[in-house]
Amino acid sequence: MKAPVRVAVTGAAGQIGYALLFRIAAGDMLGKDQPVILHLLEITPALPALQGVVMELNDCAFPTLAGVVATDDVNVAFKDVDYALLVGARPRGPGMERKDLLEANGAIFGPQGKALNDHAKRDVKVLVVGNPANTNALIAQQNAPDLDPKCFTAMVRLDHNRALSQLAEKTGKHTTQIKKVTIWGNHSSTQYPDLHHATVDGKPALNLVDQAWYENDFIPTVQQRGAAIIKARGASSAASAASAAIDHMRTWALGTEEGDWVSMGIPSDGSYGIAPGVIYGYPVTVKDGKYAIVQGLEIGDFSRARMDATDKELREERGGVEHLFAKK
Ligand code: NAD
Ligand code: LMR
């Protein structure tokens, strides 16, 4: 067994939290040889419910659970953490767009960014799940001037997994036979699920499906999947979101597979003509705990227009929250 690492999860008594904590504690995120100390943050009224979750975590007697800290103090929650999954936020209801949550949730991520800045490990890996995830990640990052901006990422892995699943179903193959799918941009209905570089069983994906399906079925289905789940369940996705969060962190910690990539919302460095600084979904490979944007992909007019539309939305969201950034 390795030395334990500290993993913070906010919104730990919420529905994603309930689907997430037990898998992290069981070693699904960082490996069966990596003990974790969970740091669970909740708002004060949710602390009794959180205590129940802590009792259940202890009752599982997981070999990889080395301790639990449960608190409503953000400074305690982020003390010395190696990983932070920022889940706690208000989810959207039927008929809302994720950006309708900007004001309500934006105020949460500034103080959390500052607390990470003041207390977390200097190479902390932060994943923002709470919506609107990309712009919340930017708010947190902009309140953490002493941390590397690349410490802050947003989750588009759920969209990536949804794209794998839709394409697998259409082609009659398993998701494991699909490589090089990309989610460009925002975790919102402007996201662009791109199959131009994807392969199914080694063959170009777009040779196996017709353009009408790609354009009129696949893309809107992936873009609207969150809303479809809210409509069907009466609550936003939870187990699949938790699973994607685990995938995102596991890949970031342990690396991508040879010959494949994943999609991560990361600070744009201007690659592919995207506005520098926005937290944008890119195809990335990961090695030794560091992610790198896949470079040199050919981008046609179809993709360009869609990549720019989601960039525009992210720039607009950024414009609406700049008052929440720490003064430089
Ligand atoms: P939930 O309402 O069940 O749980 C949220 C929890 O966060 C609650 O227990 C609440 O008390 C807590 N919380 C609120 N403010 C907090 C704060 N300041 N600090 C700590 N905890 C706080 O919601 P959920 O279904 O678990 O969803 C959480 C978030 O994840 C929502 O914003 C939702 O839209 C988002 N989400 C994102 C994705 C994605 O792909 N990025 C997918 C699904 C859901
Ligand atoms: C999702 O994609 O399922 C989540 O972001 C929840 C939502 O609001 O769509």
Side-chain angles (χ1 to χ4, degrees):
M1 282 280 185
K2 300 174 180 166
V5 294
R6 294 178 185 273
V7 180
V9 178
T10 74
Q15 53 152 3
I16 295 178
Y18 198 68
L20 182 62
L21 298 177
F22 297 87
R23 290 192 55 198
I24 299 175
D28 287 359
M29 187 168 94
L30 298 172
K32 301 284 181 196
D33 60 345
Q34 179 58 72
V36 295
I37 300 169
L38 288 173
H39 286 218
L40 310 181
L41 181 69
E42 258 300 346
I43 52 171
T44 312
L47 284 180
L50 184 60
Q51 273 315 322
V53 176
V54 174
M55 288 193 276
E56 284 203 74
L57 277 166
N58 289 332
D59 291 350
C60 291
F62 289 120
T64 40
L65 184 59
V68 183
V69 176
T71 179
D72 59 358
D73 181 344
V74 73
N75 298 310
V76 174
F78 293 150
K79 181 87 186 127
D80 294 331
V81 296
D82 302 277
Y83 299 86
L85 294 90
L86 308 189
V87 178
R90 184 184 150 198
R92 68 175 167 154
M96 289 169 82
E97 280 296 322
R98 295 183 187 103
K99 67 181 167 204
D100 296 334
L101 299 167
L102 261 181
E103 269 307 310
N105 289 336
I108 297 175
F109 291 87
Q112 291 188 355
K114 185 177 182 326
L116 285 162
N117 186 68
D118 294 348
H119 301 292
K121 290 268 178 61
R122 298 301 84 184
D123 59 350
V124 62
K125 291 178 165 59
V126 182
L127 167 64
V128 176
V129 175
N131 280 316
N134 300 53
T135 297
N136 286 339
L138 181 66
I139 295 168
Q141 179 209 57
Q142 290 298 317
N143 284 278
D146 304 330
L147 292 174
D148 183 341
K150 291 183 82 177
C151 293
F152 290 85
T153 67
M155 190 160 95
V156 294
R157 187 64 173 264
L158 179 55
D159 311 290
H160 183 102
N161 288 346
R162 287 167 172 166
L164 292 177
S165 137
Q166 291 299 316
L167 184 58
E169 194 179 322
K170 178 71 178 174
T171 56
K173 301 287 180 187
H174 194 264
T175 50
T176 51
Q177 293 167 284
I178 299 174
K179 310 285 177 211
K180 299 188 176 173
V181 163
T182 303
I183 305 296
W184 299 98
N186 202 1
H187 173 64
S188 77
S189 50
T190 67
Q191 67 177 266
Y192 171 43
D194 183 4
L195 294 183
H196 285 87
H197 315 281
T199 58
V200 181
D201 222 3
K203 300 179 194 69
L206 288 180
N207 290 354
L208 302 174
V209 299
D210 56 77
Q211 182 68 18
W213 177 80
Y214 175 48
E215 228 173 301
N216 306 325
D217 202 332
F218 173 82
I219 292 177
T221 298
V222 176
Q223 287 173 331
Q224 300 293 339
R225 189 66 157 187
I229 289 168
I230 290 170
K231 191 156 172 265
R233 250 171 53 84
S236 74
S237 64
S240 56
S243 195
I246 294 211
D247 289 346
H248 177 114
M249 283 307 210
R250 190 181 54 232
T251 302
W252 195 357
L254 304 177
T256 37
E257 275 175 36
E258 196 57 42
D260 200 5
W261 65 59
V262 297
S263 307
M264 281 173 76
I266 60 170
S268 167
D269 62 357
S271 290
Y272 294 101
I274 301 308
V278 296
I279 308 287
Y280 192 90
Y282 275 108
V284 300
T285 54
V286 183
K287 198 165 182 263
D288 300 330
K290 305 238 178 295
Y291 57 78
I293 297 171
V294 176
Q295 298 292 346
L297 299 175
E298 209 174 299
I299 306 295
D301 293 345
F302 182 92
S303 295
R304 185 75 262 164
R306 285 163 179 77
M307 287 163 66
D308 289 346
T310 189
D311 177 22
K312 178 167 177 280
E313 183 182 51
L314 281 168
R315 282 185 279 116
E316 284 167 6
E317 286 185 17
R318 177 169 66 184
V321 299
E322 272 163 357
H323 61 287
L324 298 169
F325 296 178
K327 302 269 174 302
K328 297 231 162 99

